Amino acid sequence: MASVRFKNVDKWFGKTQVLHDINLDIKESEFVVLVGPSGCGKSTTLRLLAGLEDISAGDIYINDKIVNLLEPQHRNIAMVFQNYALYPHKNVQENIIFGLKRAKASRDLIESRLDKASKMLQLQEFLQRKPAQLSGGQRQRVAMGRAIVRDADVFLFDEPLSNLDAKLRNQMRYEIRRIHREYQTTSVYVTHDQVEAMTLGDRVVVMKDGYIEQVGTPMELYLQPKNIFVATFIGAPSMNILDATLYPEYIELEGQKLPLATNLVKTSVPSDGQKVKFGIRPDFFQDEQLISAGEALTTLPNVHIDIIEPLGYDRELNLKLGHQTLKARLDLRSTAREGDTINLCFDMRRAHIFDIETEKNLTI
Amino acid sequence: MVSMELTPEQRESRLGWQLIAPCLGVIGLLIIYPILYNIYLSFFDVKLTGDKIFIGLANYERLLKDAAFYGSVLTTIIYLIGTVVGTTLVALLVALLMNIEFPLRSLVRTLILLPYFAPVISVVFGWQFIFDPVNGIYNHVMVEVLGLAAERHNLIGQPKTALFVVIVFDIWKHFPISYLLIVSKLQSINKDQYEAAAIDGYGPFGRFIHVTLPELYFVLGTLVILRLIWNLNKFEDVYLLAPNVQTLPIFTYYTAFTGIIDQGFAASISVVQFALLAFLIYFYVKKVLKW
Amino acid sequence: MNRKRSLLQNMLLTLAIVAVLFFCLFPFVQILSTSLKHQFDWGNPSLIPVKINLNAYKELLGFVQATEEQIPATVKKLLENPLITPEQREKILAKYRSTSDVFPFPRFFLNTFLLSASAASVSLALAVLGAYAFSRLRFGGRTIIQRSILFVYMVGGVLLMVPLYQMSVKVGLARTVWGSLLSLLLIYIIQTLPVSLYMLGNYFRTIPYSIEEAATTDGCSRLQSIFVIIIPLSVPMLVTVFVYCFIIAWNEFLFASVFLKQYHMFHTLPLALQSLFVSKNAIWDRIMAASMLTLIPVIVCFMFAMRNLSGGLAEGGVKE
């Protein structure tokens, strides 16, 4: 187990800078997820930590020791790759113990580690098989086994689940959680899937264009996104971002004046008629007809229902408010139908106001 | 340790140079240097003893006046056109044929490759025998069976007809590799395209013109230009079958090593051939590889 | 398009396939047939020998001494004279064993084999390291090197015959038989090195980088990962490249004739067969039998490496 620290790290590929001043502290045993769209620099960050690429400026520490110049084989890390990267000419057992053998571990140690890992990953039956004879999920488990027997300081995961189908992905997510609970190894996990990020990470790092946008626990990111990018990237369906005008006491949205909640009033910019972006998650809407009396909610009246997508328990409503479109997720009790209008309620304290220029959240 | 001061990427770069160095050394010493040395030699009268006298462009002047050189250039051009066109056409036809399914296809496909992999030396004499004026099957068929010729000819004995035999031999020897590349391209063409074309009302011929040919365009272009390059360098295939067919490499060989040996003059022929080759490679790189 | 073919179409198809096969295979059948025929049978267009003649094979493989019968009777008598010393006897015999008559096939075969195998081995060893470097390591100048290799790969040996010979003369290698053999070995190495580099480079590129990255995080250095990961993964391709280089050297005539013409016992098969053919003691059955015998090892290799060979070549590694 080890701590990891990025201090003012830059990375250039030729003349393009792909990472800008990355600062990140990862505590012992912490599970940190790097998430962002492709090209945001998350994989590069991971590869810098692994030592597969040089850093251009700054320092990387593992256990308070600078590792900038260390080769990957000397960093005591284990890595799980997107395409599994198993050694095709070695069977499952040889794959798993390869690293231990290179480290000249004793035979007893190798056997006990192999035993524990193969039980944990349910690979006992497959130890003599070649990777080509395994299914995708089994291969990913072998890759995982190869990492956990090593007793490495840090586990690195580079989009390990993106080659699996949806069902297997859920199952493997669960196994990764179990492994982390069992081994408590510091882990850095890269993904473009915000669901994986939310479900796996103790903390999540949202990245974009080589910058860290926000670092926080999944709920912090969900409830207090620092800017429009984080707000829309985290959570599905993503947050509605609507054009609005801000006044000291209320916000005007397509001609409707909605009184501001106290937390929004307090932080809002002193301005009369400033154009802003108003953000509210589809999850936070409710059908006015189903509200029990006494809840202090704001109502958005007469919203036109364009399309309804039934998803089982939930129904996703695609709505029209003036010229703008928005989404609401209501539960199955709502009887709204396509073509109707609906009065939507929400808690103004859950809403956000973003600056139209900087896209920063003005309410936190 | 000094190496501790290098970053992983710098160490990787150093390893790269270390690993490629032996190859670069050998290639530099035995290919690049000889190419330059050849140009150097072409300005000298090279004596058999190894002595050299600088004679400027005299070798080239002589070359430009040498009827045998022009004869050789003409032979080379006919040889190149014949083999390139022949190889590509035969390969295309056979590839289209082998793209049809029939029993034992994989066996047939393997057998077709045999001429390409057979050593030149073990097949040229078989071809000699086929065209042998006394015993050969060719003359037997032409004269006795079909009656197309009045008497038996020594085809390989006459440079003109020998060139024709050499071309047929080279097509036989080299079409399999072109065929292999075409057929692997054919198999990668998406079936949907044919079905779409069929729905659009194209018959088999139309499908060939509108679907197959455009897909093969790149492969065929590559094959033509590479075949030109390889065949310009061919020695064994021509010389062993018919030593009297003097394409440029054979002309150079005779000048350099037989009869009145003149290696300076031979060097100047090589330089001309090299210039031609460099032009073809440049064309290949620009038009096909698009660097 | 999956319609059943009509009878006529089937016949045309069969005809076409038979024609292609005939074109490809007839010369081989002809060689085999003639190698088994007696002289009286050569002109007979039938491919099946009237009477099977295995003498050519026996002679080539050294089961029968061909020379004795050609010594005139008078000379034989002379040889029986007890006054002649063994040395004199040998001298007289040697006159009749003119070089073009003696054809020690196994010896030539061995010469060619050793030369080709050594050249292919050295070339392969150099190429594994070189191809690894330019296909998988990042270093400045890599693109230039890759492109230059493609360039030299297309420069044929014929262009280099004069300068290479002159260089060999200059350093004195061409003067001795071992020097000539060394020159030839070096020449075969450079004739095969570019193609080895090219084919292996293309192949190495297809191995996912992450496998090697996994190996480095598992504790291998880059150099170790070549031996632990890359080479074991490339065995079929290494065999293919070796066979390919081997065949290039096995076929080579030009430089062999330049360097070895005067050293009869060191002839390679192409050279030996050519001189046998030109000597006009040319006996078709012997030449054809020798052709068959040079063909067989290649066919064996071919059967062995077929799969990878066609795959590797189709990926764009061709050199002639």
Side-chain angles (χ1 to χ4, degrees):
Chain A
M1 265 164 280
S3 61
V4 170
R5 185 164 172 224
F6 285 79
K7 194 178 154 206
N8 305 114
V9 172
D10 287 345
K11 175 66 184 172
W12 294 76
F13 284 128
K15 284 183 181 152
T16 33
Q17 187 167 6
V18 292
L19 289 179
H20 301 264
D21 195 29
I22 299 298
N23 284 289
L24 183 62
D25 271 302
I26 299 170
K27 293 187 283 290
E28 279 187 13
S29 299
E30 198 176 15
F31 199 114
V32 168
V33 179
L34 307 181
V35 68
S38 61
C40 71
K42 56 191 189 299
S43 280
T44 306
T45 309
L46 192 76
R47 293 171 62 81
L48 292 183
L49 177 55
L52 298 170
E53 316 265 357
D54 279 2
I55 58 174
S56 308
D59 291 308
I60 294 178
Y61 298 77
I62 296 179
N63 270 339
D64 302 321
K65 237 181 64 197
I66 295 186
V67 295
N68 299 359
L69 297 178
L70 275 185
E71 299 262 18
Q73 64 264 35
H74 300 127
R75 293 193 183 192
N76 198 24
I77 45 166
M79 189 154 170
V80 177
F81 294 84
Q82 178 175 1
N83 59 3
Y84 323 126
L86 301 180
Y87 311 122
H89 56 301
K90 296 180 184 292
N91 66 27
V92 169
Q93 173 169 345
E94 290 163 342
N95 261 285
I96 293 178
I97 64 175
F98 180 74
L100 282 176
K101 277 196 145 177
R102 301 236 39 109
K104 305 227 161 33
S106 75
R107 191 187 260 182
D108 290 345
L109 183 73
I110 293 180
E111 255 173 38
S112 70
R113 294 258 182 89
L114 174 67
D115 200 46
K116 184 177 173 194
S118 54
K119 276 205 188 98
M120 172 129 214
L121 295 161
Q122 295 142 39
L123 286 169
Q124 296 106 310
E125 296 165 49
F126 308 112
L127 289 178
Q128 301 311 318
R129 292 216 195 150
K130 290 277 171 68
Q133 300 163 291
L134 300 176
S135 70
Q138 288 163 342
R139 284 182 214 184
Q140 194 52 273
R141 278 209 282 272
V142 177
M144 219 83 82
R146 195 167 59 179
I148 62 184
V149 296
R150 287 264 319 282
D151 191 27
D153 282 338
V154 188
F155 283 171
L156 307 180
F157 297 88
D158 191 3
E159 307 223 16
L161 305 186
S162 53
N163 280 1
L164 303 177
D165 63 44
K167 202 174 159 199
L168 260 175
R169 215 177 304 164
N170 287 343
Q171 190 190 334
M172 289 304 292
R173 226 158 54 199
Y174 158 77
E175 295 206 22
I176 291 173
R177 292 287 305 234
R178 263 179 57 225
I179 289 168
H180 185 247
R181 195 173 60 198
E182 171 76 24
Y183 287 84
Q184 293 287 315
T185 309
T186 311
S187 302
V188 184
Y189 186 106
V190 163
T191 180
H192 62 269
D193 178 356
Q194 57 94 18
V195 177
E196 266 173 48
M198 298 283 281
T199 50
L200 283 171
D202 294 329
R203 275 194 304 154
V204 175
V205 179
V206 183
M207 296 182 72
K208 183 193 165 203
D209 298 336
Y211 292 94
I212 290 182
E213 297 287 325
Q214 189 170 356
V215 182
T217 64
M219 286 320 280
E220 277 167 15
L221 297 179
Y222 184 74
L223 295 173
Q224 322 241 266
K226 277 191 180 164
N227 53 39
I228 292 182
F229 176 75
V230 177
T232 50
F233 191 80
I234 298 291
S238 63
M239 186 185 283
N240 295 306
I241 303 290
L242 303 167
D243 292 325
T245 317
L246 184 65
Y247 295 96
E249 296 296 320
Y250 61 92
I251 187 157
E252 189 178 316
L253 190 60
E254 294 291 329
Q256 318 238 17
K257 293 178 180 161
L258 308 174
L260 291 174
T262 45
N263 65 321
L264 302 189
V265 173
K266 176 174 74 195
T267 52
S268 64
V269 186
S271 158
D272 256 5
Q274 187 195 2
K275 297 268 180 230
V276 291
K277 295 280 185 184
F278 179 75
I280 176 78
R281 292 200 179 274
D283 310 316
F284 293 149
F285 283 122
Q286 285 173 283
D287 189 337
E288 194 185 42
Q289 293 175 352
L290 301 169
I291 301 293
S292 45
E295 285 189 67
L297 297 178
T298 309
T299 304
L300 197 57
N302 296 325
V303 186
H304 176 76
I305 303 175
D306 191 14
I307 299 280
I308 296 182
E309 297 171 287
L311 300 169
Y313 183 77
D314 294 324
R315 313 171 78 204
E316 260 181 50
L317 276 62
N318 293 271
L319 308 155
K320 280 201 173 140
L321 180 66
H323 299 296
Q324 309 195 50
T325 57
L326 66 158
K327 279 194 169 201
R329 179 142 72 180
L330 305 181
D331 64 45
L332 45 70
R333 293 173 301 163
S334 166
T335 55
R337 281 181 307 178
E338 286 181 4
D340 291 353
T341 54
I342 186 171
N343 294 341
L344 290 174
C345 295
F346 64 96
D347 184 347
M348 188 54 97
R349 285 170 300 180
R350 295 274 185 235
H352 302 277
I353 295 166
F354 299 98
D355 187 287
I356 203 162
E357 293 294 324
T358 64
E359 303 202 335
K360 285 211 168 102
N361 192 339
L362 300 171
T363 54
I364 54 169
Chain B
M1 268 199 322
V2 183
S3 67
M4 283 309 287
E5 318 219 318
L6 294 174
T7 67
E9 278 180 27
Q10 285 166 335
R11 262 171 277 172
E12 180 174 337
S13 164
R14 198 178 57 171
L15 181 66
W17 281 107
Q18 284 167 343
L19 294 181
I20 195 84
C23 291
L24 291 185
V26 172
I27 289 173
L29 183 67
L30 296 172
I31 297 181
I32 307 294
Y33 174 72
I35 290 175
L36 302 174
Y37 188 50
N38 188 48
I39 297 172
Y40 171 82
L41 282 177
S42 72
F43 299 115
F44 286 83
D45 180 10
V46 183
K47 301 283 179 206
L48 271 179
T49 52
D51 295 338
K52 291 184 276 289
I53 302 160
F54 182 75
I55 51 168
L57 290 172
N59 280 328
Y60 291 96
E61 280 165 26
R62 204 180 120 199
L63 194 60
L64 289 177
K65 287 181 203 139
D66 190 345
F69 171 68
Y70 289 110
S72 170
V73 170
L74 183 66
T75 307
T76 310
I77 290 171
I78 295 172
Y79 168 74
L80 286 180
I81 292 175
T83 50
V84 169
V85 172
T87 309
T88 314
L89 280 184
V90 173
L92 180 61
L93 290 177
V94 174
L96 290 172
L97 184 64
M98 290 302 136
N99 209 31
I100 301 170
E101 284 190 31
F102 57 84
L104 295 179
R105 185 170 69 161
S106 59
L107 176 70
V108 174
R109 279 183 171 186
T110 309
L111 288 175
I112 285 176
L113 300 177
L114 214 49
Y116 180 72
F117 289 102
V120 179
I121 191 65
S122 56
V123 290
V124 277
F125 299 116
W127 277 73
Q128 289 263 10
F129 184 81
I130 291 172
F131 290 96
D132 184 74
V134 182
N135 301 309
I137 187 88
Y138 171 81
N139 275 306
H140 174 79
V141 170
M142 292 303 275
V143 179
E144 268 104 59
V145 181
L146 297 177
L148 290 175
E151 53 182 348
R152 289 172 172 255
H153 289 285
N154 185 358
L155 248 57
I156 294 178
Q158 310 293 325
K160 281 216 177 86
T161 46
L163 177 58
F164 165 74
V165 176
V166 167
I167 290 173
V168 174
F169 172 71
D170 262 319
I171 293 172
W172 175 80
K173 188 93 185 60
H174 299 296
F175 91 84
I177 185 67
S178 305
Y179 142 81
L180 201 59
L181 291 160
I182 295 174
V183 96
S184 64
K185 180 71 204 172
L186 277 180
Q187 283 174 326
S188 74
I189 300 178
N190 199 329
K191 291 261 182 307
D192 296 351
Q193 291 194 45
Y194 287 104
E195 280 161 16
I199 290 164
D200 285 346
Y202 287 109
F205 185 71
R207 291 199 290 268
F208 174 74
I209 297 291
H210 292 283
V211 180
T212 316
L213 223 45
E215 288 281 332
L216 290 181
Y217 185 74
F218 182 78
V219 178
L220 290 177
T222 311
L223 286 175
V224 165
I225 185 93
L226 278 180
R227 179 56 46 207
L228 275 173
I229 293 171
W230 298 144
N231 279 7
L232 184 58
N233 288 329
K234 279 261 176 290
F235 181 84
E236 279 83 5
D237 302 45
V238 182
Y239 180 80
L240 291 177
L241 182 59
N244 51 5
V245 174
Q246 295 201 22
T247 56
L248 277 173
I250 285 116
F251 183 55
T252 315
Y253 175 74
Y254 283 136
T255 314
F257 297 109
T258 62
I260 306 155
I261 290 172
D262 191 340
Q263 298 215 322
F265 186 49
S268 69
I269 307 169
S270 289
V271 170
V272 172
Q273 199 194 325
F274 179 75
L276 198 58
L277 186 75
F279 170 74
L280 286 176
I281 295 175
Y282 176 80
F283 189 78
Y284 174 66
V285 160
K286 283 284 161 207
K287 296 287 165 185
V288 180
L289 298 181
K290 302 208 168 85
W291 282 352
Chain C
M1 256 163 292
N2 293 323
R3 281 176 297 131
K4 276 246 180 250
R5 284 189 288 264
S6 71
L7 185 67
L8 181 70
Q9 281 173 321
N10 256 328
M11 278 168 61
L12 284 175
L13 178 67
T14 314
L15 202 69
I17 294 163
V18 170
V20 168
L21 277 180
F22 177 81
F23 178 60
C24 291
L25 299 182
F26 178 73
F28 295 105
V29 180
Q30 179 76 68
I31 294 168
L32 179 65
S33 151
T34 311
S35 74
L36 294 171
K37 280 181 174 181
H38 283 284
Q39 184 164 5
F40 67 82
D41 204 9
W42 289 344
N44 179 359
S46 163
L47 289 171
I48 300 157
V50 177
K51 200 167 147 237
I52 297 279
N53 166 24
L54 288 173
N55 287 342
Y57 287 97
K58 285 184 190 157
E59 256 175 53
L60 289 175
L61 296 174
F63 297 136
V64 183
Q65 274 296 326
T67 45
E68 291 294 329
E69 302 143 28
Q70 288 160 8
I71 300 169
T74 47
V75 181
K76 272 188 184 164
K77 260 215 170 105
L78 185 71
L79 288 174
E80 281 156 21
N81 188 333
L83 291 176
I84 287 179
T85 62
E87 290 90 54
Q88 283 170 316
R89 212 182 111 93
E90 262 311 302
K91 258 189 186 167
I92 294 166
L93 268 177
K95 272 188 194 156
Y96 289 93
R97 251 186 242 136
S98 76
T99 49
S100 52
D101 268 6
V102 182
F103 192 81
F105 183 84
R107 168 79 198 231
F108 294 150
F109 190 96
L110 194 67
N111 290 344
T112 322
F113 181 85
L114 288 178
L115 209 51
S116 308
S118 338
S121 311
V122 177
S123 166
L124 190 63
L126 289 174
V128 165
L129 301 179
Y132 179 84
F134 75 73
S135 67
R136 296 186 78 85
L137 293 172
R138 295 162 295 186
F139 56 93
R142 174 170 97 147
T143 319
I144 280 275
I145 286 176
Q146 258 171 315
R147 291 176 179 192
S148 334
I149 282 165
L150 188 78
F151 174 75
V152 295
Y153 162 63
M154 292 194 239
V155 173
V158 285
L159 289 173
L160 308 176
M161 59 184 153
V162 173
L164 283 174
Y165 180 71
Q166 285 293 328
M167 283 163 71
S168 172
V169 168
K170 219 166 158 188
V171 296
L173 281 176
R175 244 177 293 141
T176 63
V177 61
W178 293 109
S180 299
L181 284 170
L182 179 64
S183 308
L184 209 52
L185 179 65
L186 287 172
I187 287 166
Y188 289 174
I189 290 169
I190 55 136
Q191 292 224 1
T192 52
L193 186 58
V195 67
S196 308
L197 282 170
Y198 191 71
M199 286 173 86
L200 282 177
N202 282 347
Y203 184 77
F204 286 164
R205 261 188 284 267
T206 66
I207 300 175
Y209 281 83
S210 56
I211 290 185
E212 250 188 292
E213 289 173 352
T216 54
T217 56
D218 264 347
C220 288
S221 69
R222 283 313 277 263
L223 205 56
Q224 285 169 332
S225 80
I226 299 181
F227 293 97
V228 181
I229 304 297
I230 299 294
I231 290 181
L233 276 183
S234 312
V235 169
M237 195 59 193
L238 295 177
V239 172
T240 306
V241 173
F242 182 88
V243 169
Y244 208 71
C245 295
F246 184 88
I247 293 178
I248 291 176
W250 184 265
N251 270 330
E252 208 283 333
F253 173 82
L254 172 61
F255 286 98
S257 86
V258 170
F259 282 98
L260 295 178
K261 193 133 223 168
Q262 44 184 325
Y263 308 112
H264 181 247
M265 288 314 281
F266 290 90
H267 275 191
T268 59
L269 278 172
L271 194 51
L273 274 170
Q274 164 74 4
S275 4
L276 177 67
F277 183 74
V278 175
S279 74
K280 286 299 168 198
N281 288 316
I283 309 171
W284 282 115
D285 59 345
R286 271 217 273 173
I287 291 190
M288 293 303 151
S291 294
M292 273 324 281
L293 291 173
T294 47
L295 187 60
I296 285 163
V298 176
I299 292 189
V300 171
C301 290
F302 173 70
M303 296 298 177
F304 190 62
M306 177 51 217
R307 270 221 134 144
N308 307 300
L309 208 48
S310 49
L313 293 174
E315 277 149 27
V318 248
K319 161 89 175 186
E320 285 155 20

